[in-house]
Each structure stands twice: as structure tokens, then as C-alpha cells.
């Protein structure tokens, strides 16, 4: 799922949309389970009005809309390439998609109107989660629900090695001093934020998902569909290709060379319902 702001017009860069649907879908089955776990936390209500922030290809948004029998569901994503596939499927009554960012959704929110704000693997691209959760809560009607899931991998080798590599040349100069920020908070911090924002009985879970990949090489393919897109957007193509090659050379020797390869992936699932 995609929801981050991009840098537009950077000379020699790939621009705002570096998401590759086919790359992201390489591990589609593995990426889908957290969606269903998050959905299981939601309490269905009649005639719900729902927003799916960072809806990606929209395939899971359709499942969300159908499962809840919602009156209206709006899928929002900043990536035009990811949204392109939403026009290839049979329309469902009440379901629509829009291009937009998480930041723009909460910058000037309308009066409370949504029964559910849902976001699966997208809010980690947005900054200042303390303010973000407060603003998202403000878009909900009394009794409205907030459900979101964020990966919590920023302290693992896949991420720290990329951060370290970005400080070396030629990547540091090509990135113009940009460094990847880490907005994801601790589970207990999310619980406190939800409570402060009017969710009296928040539920927060840290789940380690066990992914079985063919080999450690597939870990690089996995992050090319997610975390590394932040570098792809900001680096010229030939520099990005070199970045991935050097990233692979640094990462793989530090991973267990086993087949199949066990890849544990941490995610935080959060849910809360405002008082009616």
C-alpha cells in the first residue's frame, strides 16, 4: 500500500511515482494476511461509510467493501500506477477510488463523516503519527472506528543496511542529503495515542508474520517492492541500480544461507472505536 508524499520535479530522478505493481505483487499472498487480521478487528455496522487510506491496487479494498456490506467505500492512494488496475474490474455499487495522499486527507478534514478509517500498510509513510492519529480521529462520527496496520521493520538488517549505504558516496550526493525517516512508534505508544484521541478501549497487537521464501535472495526482491521504492524515487536509474547491487552485497552475507529462507516480519495492528 502506498501513501507517502513524494518529491516532484527532481532533475534526473524517477519522479513522484516509483511504485511497480508487478514487483509489489510478487509476494501478494504473504502481504495479504495482515489485511484480513486487521479486518477481523473491525466491528461491522449497517450502512457504513468507509475510507481505505493507501489502498494500493484496490483489490483488498473491494474485499473490505464486500465484507462490511458498506454503503460507501472510498479507496485513496497517491500512486497513479497502482490505481490504474481499479478500472479493469467490475464496478461495485458504492465503491470508488481517488488519487490523493494521507497528508492531504487530514490537512483540511471535513466535518466528521466516516464510520471507519481503514489503512493497511500505508500510515508508516506519513510523518508525525501523534498528530496524524488525532486528525484521523477527528474525521470519524461518534462510534466511528479507526483500524490501521504498519510494518515495524525499521530496526532490522533490511532497513538499517539501506540507511547506512545511503550515507556513502555516490549515493549521499545523489540523494542531496535526504535520509529515510522512521515514523513508526512502539505498540504501547500507539495504545496511549488512541486512548488520548477518544478511543476508550484501544486494541494494539505486535505480530511477527512468518514468511517462507525460496532463498535469502528473495528478501531483496521483497524490499524492492516496498522500502527501496523511497530510494528509487530519488535516485537516477543507473545510480539506483548500483544502490540495489551494493545493498544486496552488504545484506545477503549477513542472512542465513538456507533454503527455504525464514523471513520474520513484524507488524503492528491497531484498532479503536470512539464513544457513541
Amino acid at each position: 500500500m502506498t501513501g507517502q508524499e513524494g518529491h516532484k520535479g527532481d532533475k534526473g530522478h524517477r519522479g513522484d511515482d516509483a511504485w511497480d505493481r508487478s514487483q509489489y505483487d510478487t509476494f501478494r499472498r504473504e502481504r495479504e494476511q495482515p489485511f484480513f487480521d486487521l479486518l477481523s478487528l473491525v466491528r461491522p455496522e449497517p450502512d457504513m461509510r468507509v475510507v481505505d487510506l493507501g489502498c494500493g491496487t484496490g483489490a483488498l479494498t473491494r474485499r473490505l467493501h464486500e465484507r462490511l456490506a458498506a454503503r460507501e467505500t472510498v479507496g485513496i492512494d497517491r500512486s497513479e500506477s497502482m490505481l490504474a488496475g481499479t478500472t479493469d474490474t467490475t464496478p461495485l455499487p458504492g465503491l470508488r477510488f481517488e488519487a490523493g495522499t494521507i497528508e492531504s486527507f487530514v490537512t483540511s478534514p471535513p466535518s466528521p463523516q466516516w464510520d471507519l478509517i481503514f489503512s493497511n500498510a500505508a500510515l508508516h509513510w506519513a510523518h508525525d503519527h501523534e498528530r496524524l492519529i488525532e486528525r484521523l480521529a477527528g474525521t470519524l462520527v461518534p462510534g466511528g472506528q479507526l483500524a490501521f496496520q504498519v510494518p515495524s521493520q525499521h530496526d532490522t538488517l533490511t532497513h538499517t543496511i539501506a540507511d547506512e549505504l545511503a550515507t556513502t558516496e555516490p549515493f549521499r550526493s545523489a540523494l542531496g542529503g535526504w535520509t529515510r525517516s522512521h515514523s513508526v512508534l512502539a505498540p504501547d505508544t500507539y495504545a496511549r495515542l488512541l486512548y488520548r484521541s477518544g478511543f476508550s478501549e484501544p486494541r494494539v497487537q505486535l505480530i511477527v508474520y512468518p514468511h517462507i521464501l525460496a532463498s535469502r535472495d528473495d528478501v531483496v526482491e521483497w524490499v524492492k517492492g516496498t522500502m527501496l521504492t523511497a530510494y528509487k524515487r530519488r535516485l537516477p536509474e543507473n545510480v539506483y541500480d548500483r544502490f540495489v547491487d551494493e545493498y544486496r552485497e552488504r545484506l545477503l552475507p549477513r542472512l542465513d544461507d538456507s533454503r527455504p529462507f525464514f523471513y520474520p516480519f513484524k507488524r503492528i495492528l491497531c484498532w479503536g472505536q470512539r464513544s457513541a
Side-chain angles (χ1 to χ4, degrees):
M1 304 295 178
T2 59
Q4 79 276 33
E5 292 287 355
H7 289 181
K8 299 183 178 180
D10 291 342
K11 184 177 180 181
H13 293 193
R14 238 72 67 89
D16 210 28
D17 192 351
W19 286 92
D20 183 332
R21 290 183 62 201
S22 61
Q23 181 73 47
Y24 185 83
D25 281 344
T26 301
F27 302 99
R28 181 172 61 183
R29 181 181 62 81
E30 290 86 350
R31 297 190 198 278
E32 286 184 350
Q33 186 57 51
F35 164 86
F36 292 106
D37 292 341
L38 183 64
L39 181 55
S40 70
L41 298 177
V42 175
R43 297 174 179 174
E45 301 286 348
D47 299 321
M48 295 181 79
R49 301 188 69 219
V50 178
V51 172
D52 184 8
L53 293 177
C55 66
T57 64
L60 293 177
T61 311
R62 290 175 66 90
R63 302 289 291 272
L64 174 70
H65 183 67
E66 292 174 322
R67 181 74 66 88
L68 297 177
R71 172 162 60 100
E72 177 187 9
T73 301
V74 181
I76 298 176
D77 200 280
R78 64 167 295 277
S79 172
E80 296 282 0
S81 64
M82 294 290 267
L83 288 174
T86 62
T87 60
D88 299 336
T89 54
T90 304
L92 294 178
L95 174 64
R96 60 188 171 89
F97 296 92
E98 298 177 358
T101 65
I102 294 168
E103 290 83 357
S104 62
F105 178 80
V106 298
T107 296
S108 300
S111 57
Q113 58 177 313
W114 302 106
D115 298 293
L116 171 65
I117 303 295
F118 189 93
S119 183
N120 181 54
L123 293 191
H124 58 291
W125 293 109
H127 302 295
D128 192 1
H129 279 198
E130 291 196 19
R131 181 64 174 145
L132 176 64
I133 290 174
E134 179 183 331
R135 289 184 171 183
L136 290 173
T139 69
L140 294 169
V141 299
Q145 302 173 64
L146 172 64
F148 66 91
Q149 177 267 123
V150 289
S152 184
Q153 290 286 97
H154 53 275
D155 59 349
T156 62
L157 282 174
T158 53
H159 289 52
T160 58
I161 285 178
D163 295 341
E164 294 166 1
L165 183 58
T167 65
T168 67
E169 296 295 348
F171 312 117
R172 180 178 180 179
S173 296
L175 290 167
W178 174 86
T179 57
R180 194 172 56 85
S181 60
H182 312 295
S183 59
V184 174
L185 306 174
D188 58 324
T189 301
Y190 281 120
R192 285 192 291 270
L193 288 175
L194 288 167
Y195 183 79
R196 285 204 323 240
S197 298
F199 301 97
S200 59
E201 297 180 356
R203 293 186 61 183
V204 178
Q205 304 172 356
L206 174 64
I207 301 179
V208 181
Y209 287 89
H211 299 310
I212 311 303
L213 307 182
S215 71
R216 61 183 179 180
D217 299 84
D218 282 342
V219 175
V220 178
E221 296 305 309
W222 180 293
V223 295
K224 281 171 64 178
T226 52
M227 183 269 294
L228 289 182
T229 60
Y231 297 96
K232 185 177 181 180
R233 285 173 32 233
R234 292 170 170 85
L235 292 172
E237 184 172 2
N238 63 322
V239 180
Y240 173 72
D241 291 342
R242 179 176 171 183
F243 185 90
V244 173
D245 288 342
E246 294 195 23
Y247 172 79
R248 181 182 289 106
E249 290 175 3
R250 290 184 178 214
L251 175 65
L252 295 189
R254 300 182 66 179
L255 301 179
D256 181 31
D257 188 14
S258 58
R259 295 173 182 267
F261 181 80
F262 181 77
Y263 182 38
F265 200 103
K266 297 178 294 183
R267 297 181 184 273
I268 301 172
L269 282 65
C270 300
W271 172 88
Q273 184 170 26
R274 304 202 77 182
S275 300

